[in-house]
Each structure stands twice: as C-alpha cells, then as structure tokens.
Amino acid sequence: MIIKSATFICSNTKISALPIANMPEYAFIGRSNVGKSSLINMLVNQHGLAKTSQKPGKTQLINHFLINEKWYIVDLPGYGYAKVSKSSRENWEKFIRNYITKRESLQCVFVLIDSRLEPQKIDLEFCCWMGEIQIPFVLAFTKADKQSTTKTDQNVAAFKKALGGWFEEIPPSFVTSAEKSVGRDQILDFIDQVNLDFAMPVLTPKTDF
C-alpha cells in the first residue's frame, strides 16, 4: 500500500461526535508510552501527524486520521497510566470501551506491546478482554530497535506463550521499529487485505455517550 495522504480529522470523547462510520477503521492502543504515536507517524510517513510526548498519558481523546481518503487510523488513549485521578481514568476507560464495543466500522484493534519487556499483566488482561468481547485484534511489538533481535524474539515468544493460556489461536503479530520503519510494509499490507472485505455496516442511531 502506498500512503498518498494522511489527514487529522477530529478528536472526541463521545461516539456521537465521531465521523460517520462509512469507512474501515483501525484502532491503535497500548500502555502509555509504548510508542503508539511514533508508530502511527511511521506508518503514514508523516512526522508529527500523531502528537508524540515524553510524558505518558498525553493522549486523552479518540483521534481520527483519514488515510488515502479511504480508511481511518484511530489513536486511542493509552491504558494503565497511574498518575491520573481515579475519576479521569474511569472516564477514559468508559469511552474506550464504548468506542471498541459500539463502533460499527471498526475492523481491527492493534494492541501495542513494548518488545523490551517481559509479559505485563495489564497487556495480557486487555488482550483477554478483547477476546471475551470477540473484537478482532492483532499484536504490534514496538521499539524493536532498542535491543538485540534475540532479546526481542525472546520477549515476543514469552508474550505469545503467556497469551496461549487464554487463546486457542494466537492473533497475528508484527515486530516494529518506528525509527527504522521495521514492520511498516507488513502492517500496511495487512490493512490493505482487510479493506478488501469491508462491507458498509448497518448504522444504528447515535446516542450521546
């Protein structure tokens, strides 16, 4: 897939204010500071489209980016950032759940995992929740350039093994590096293939949540 255009469309906390669900969407989510914005910028080859920050928890909205005028990348707030108020965290979690469970045009969720770390409970729990609600998801292991290939392979294998305790079949996975564009072609090819099977969803009346 060749990326010809990538445009910021809107930021929201309410499903009722999102763009009409008439094009395929791919949501990106992970623990705070997992490298989500950097990965999105790498995929679209546009530095600064998704805002990066050294401060975890910066993304607090649902951000829509229209790609090639045909499909959306959706940047979701990171989960698991402790240094926010309990009420703020609960509100974020509520609209994340609402988006994932109610968005008709959502095709797949990219769950980002820091490849430098051993399996983290919060990542495994989020993947299990995705499985429970039967939302298609894939794994994107980030920051592979920060360590040896051997170490990355070990951590990826460990995560898949841990996930195997809950899943009969492990979802597809990609090893990525935003700095070196590792995994870019593979992810875009995956999205391109899914887009081929996109069917216009039957839209339900929007409610204010």
Side-chain angles (χ1 to χ4, degrees), residues 36-194:
K36 176 163 48 68
S37 297
S38 296
L39 178 62
I40 291 172
N41 291 336
M42 179 268 281
L43 290 175
V44 301
N45 196 28
Q46 190 174 135
H47 179 72
L49 181 69
K51 303 304 181 183
T52 60
S53 174
Q54 296 300 314
K55 182 180 179 180
K58 184 175 179 60
T59 302
Q60 301 179 20
L61 301 167
I62 301 173
N63 298 306
H64 270 70
F65 304 100
L66 181 59
I67 313 301
N68 289 348
E69 303 291 330
K70 293 182 178 180
W71 56 278
Y72 289 104
I73 282 178
V74 183
D75 185 6
L76 296 177
Y79 54 77
Y81 183 52
K83 294 183 179 180
V84 295
S85 68
K86 182 179 179 180
S87 61
S88 293
R89 186 164 61 248
E90 289 175 348
N91 287 335
W92 295 1
E93 291 172 353
K94 181 179 179 180
F95 75 74
I96 290 171
R97 288 196 302 270
N98 283 336
Y99 170 80
I100 290 175
T101 58
K102 301 179 186 296
R103 185 63 168 170
E104 300 96 335
S105 55
L106 178 62
Q107 301 300 291
C108 180
V109 176
F110 282 79
V111 181
L112 276 57
I113 309 295
D114 192 330
S115 69
R116 301 172 300 174
L117 305 178
E118 294 181 354
Q120 301 293 298
K121 180 180 178 182
I122 191 169
D123 292 326
L124 293 169
E125 288 178 345
F126 185 82
C127 289
C128 290
W129 176 68
M130 294 291 292
E132 289 173 359
I133 62 175
Q134 299 184 344
I135 298 294
F137 74 97
V138 299
L139 305 172
F141 293 91
T142 63
K143 304 184 180 183
D145 60 288
K146 305 299 183 182
Q147 61 188 355
S148 68
T149 301
T150 299
K151 185 61 176 176
T152 295
D153 291 344
Q154 289 175 346
N155 287 342
V156 169
F159 190 88
K160 289 182 177 180
K161 181 178 180 180
L163 205 59
W166 288 275
F167 289 83
E168 292 183 1
E169 183 177 349
I170 303 301
S173 65
F174 304 91
V175 173
T176 73
S177 163
E179 291 189 8
K180 297 185 177 181
S181 295
V182 173
R184 182 177 188 269
D185 291 343
Q186 291 83 356
I187 289 177
L188 291 178
D189 285 347
F190 171 82
I191 291 173
D192 201 23
Q193 288 301 309
V194 176

